[in-house]
Amino acid sequence: MMPNYKIPFLDLKAAQMELYESLEFAFENVLNSGLYILGNEVQLFENEFAVYCETDHCIGVGNGLEALHLILRAYNIGIGDEVIVPSNTYIATWLAVTYAGATPIPVEPDEHTFNIDPLRIENAITPRTKAIIAVHLYGHPAHMDPINDIGKKYGLKVIEDAAQAHGALYKGRKTGSLGDAAGFSFYPGKNLGAVGDGGAVTTNDVELAEKIRILRNYGSRIKYHNELQGFNSRLDELQAAFLRVKLRHLDEWNARRKIIADQYIGQLANTMLIMPHVVSWTEPVWHLFVVRHPEREKLQEWLNEAGINSMIHYPIPPHLQPAYADLGYRNGSFIIAEQMASSVLSIPIGPHLTQVQASEISNACLNFNIGKQASF
């Protein structure tokens, strides 16, 4: 049984309750339509999300992992190929590469932003390298200009893992429009979350878009005529209807997250916590608010005792997961990612966290940090 926290990590029910009538209306429209797979709602959402992301195309798929996987498949990246990935990310980024049959090649992050370090990418490129996946971790855009420059220099595809960055801006441009293609997740806890699983690909590449539309639907654009060995990865009609409702509120909800983030930054300044670093040319959407502390476990227990739920994103880097033992990495293979995994802690943030609750969380952190010196 889950503990009953006074302040939950993220209040998903509150999000649904705020929009309850609109979500109920969307549900009834789908139920009464008789169209439940790749119907009007999916097409409308794809159009609306493409406009929102400032791209020509959006293709709804089953989830964020499959969005990345289908991009790689559509680019004919597979067995014998290598794809550069961050060493510090959720394992889904790596799994997409594995699903395609290629090999993930980890590159360490920038110590301040947590995102893949462009200065380290070129050293990881080999004749087998076909693509770079840049993750906008925690809702903070990766440094895309130098990454795109490297992609052009070596003829590599640049793919955004934008699963945590719906609406984030890089030099005034939306994530999802910054590379050759991007994969989004609509897992319920995301900034734009469905009431179940869902995902999408955004791109300006018309050929890629058409191929992904075919791959997501058993390799078929005409029923019973299969052009490719495809998959069953279609955004659900009902989830698309819900996402259309929530998309209209995304910017407002992201703005609420920013208010809480700014409050934390102000209240926790000059403490022993290492705070998130915001680069001047980005506007993050604060999917997570991640601090660092060398006594992370003690801090988390302190917050637990105060009735505050916190989480660790992520406690084990992909290269140390048993799933990737065959790659032969060990402790010390990617030191920066390992240091982050041992010290990061995500404190509550979301569009329905109140400023009073945020102050209570800040005070709990301040009380813990009295006399404690962070050192890495």
Side-chain angles (χ1 to χ4, degrees), residues 6-11 14 256-257 259-261 263-264 267 348-362:
K6 177 173 57 176
I7 301 178
F9 184 74
L10 180 65
D11 191 344
R256 293 185 201 173
R257 288 175 179 268
I259 289 170
I260 298 299
Q263 182 176 335
Y264 281 147
Q267 292 177 340
I349 194 167
H352 297 90
L353 185 76
T354 69
Q355 291 182 266
V356 172
Q357 289 174 315
S359 290
E360 186 172 346
I361 294 163
S362 294

Side-chain angles (χ1 to χ4, degrees), residues 121-310:
I121 290 176
E122 282 194 86
N123 289 336
I125 294 173
T126 75
R128 293 184 174 185
T129 308
K130 294 296 187 292
I132 304 166
I133 299 181
V135 179
H136 305 308
L137 198 64
Y138 307 148
H140 295 249
H143 198 356
M144 293 302 296
D145 281 353
I147 295 172
N148 280 320
D149 288 343
I150 293 168
K152 290 174 184 176
K153 179 179 178 180
Y154 291 94
L156 308 177
K157 297 299 182 183
V158 175
I159 300 165
E160 299 171 73
D161 182 340
Q164 301 182 3
H166 313 73
L169 296 178
Y170 172 82
K171 298 185 178 181
R173 296 170 57 202
K174 289 277 182 66
T175 53
S177 69
L178 304 172
D180 292 294
F184 283 89
S185 167
F186 303 125
Y187 182 78
K190 304 299 186 185
N191 291 47
L192 179 61
V195 191
D197 266 324
V201 173
T202 57
T203 185
N204 291 323
D205 185 335
V206 62
E207 292 182 6
L208 178 77
E210 184 58 22
K211 192 168 182 181
I212 290 176
R213 288 189 182 98
I214 296 168
L215 284 171
R216 73 173 175 182
N217 190 36
Y218 297 103
S220 171
R221 73 180 95 197
I222 301 171
K223 195 168 186 178
Y224 303 130
H225 179 75
N226 302 86
E227 303 171 42
L228 302 170
Q229 295 179 11
F231 305 87
N232 178 7
S233 181
R234 303 171 298 210
L235 178 62
D236 183 77
E237 185 76 359
L238 183 58
Q239 298 303 336
F242 291 154
L243 288 167
R244 291 187 63 214
V245 171
K246 291 189 169 187
L247 181 59
R248 296 194 289 269
H249 300 269
L250 177 57
D251 287 342
E252 177 195 348
W253 284 11
N254 283 343
R256 293 185 201 173
R257 288 175 179 268
K258 185 179 185 302
I259 289 170
I260 298 299
D262 289 345
Q263 182 176 335
Y264 281 147
I265 291 169
Q267 292 177 340
L268 296 174
N270 303 315
T271 69
M272 302 309 164
L273 290 172
I274 296 179
M275 303 294 286
H277 178 76
V278 179
V279 182
S280 61
W281 29 257
T282 66
E283 293 182 32
V285 290
W286 299 104
H287 173 62
L288 297 171
F289 193 94
V290 181
V291 299
R292 295 181 67 193
H293 199 285
E295 296 184 80
R296 187 260 313 281
E297 283 74 18
K298 291 182 180 178
L299 173 57
Q300 186 171 39
E301 181 58 32
W302 178 272
L303 295 175
N304 282 340
E305 291 176 0
I308 298 166
N309 188 15
S310 60

Side-chain angles (χ1 to χ4, degrees), residues 294-354:
E295 296 184 80
R296 187 260 313 281
E297 283 74 18
K298 291 182 180 178
L299 173 57
Q300 186 171 39
E301 181 58 32
W302 178 272
L303 295 175
N304 282 340
E305 291 176 0
I308 298 166
N309 188 15
S310 60
M311 299 185 72
I312 300 170
H313 297 90
Y314 300 97
I316 305 173
H319 72 278
L320 296 180
Q321 293 283 3
Y324 284 102
D326 62 310
L327 297 182
Y329 298 120
R330 300 288 184 269
N331 279 307
S333 294
F334 298 97
I335 294 174
I336 298 175
E338 292 167 25
Q339 288 176 341
M340 289 177 174
S342 68
S343 60
V344 294
L345 186 69
S346 303
I347 60 178
I349 194 167
H352 297 90
L353 185 76
T354 69

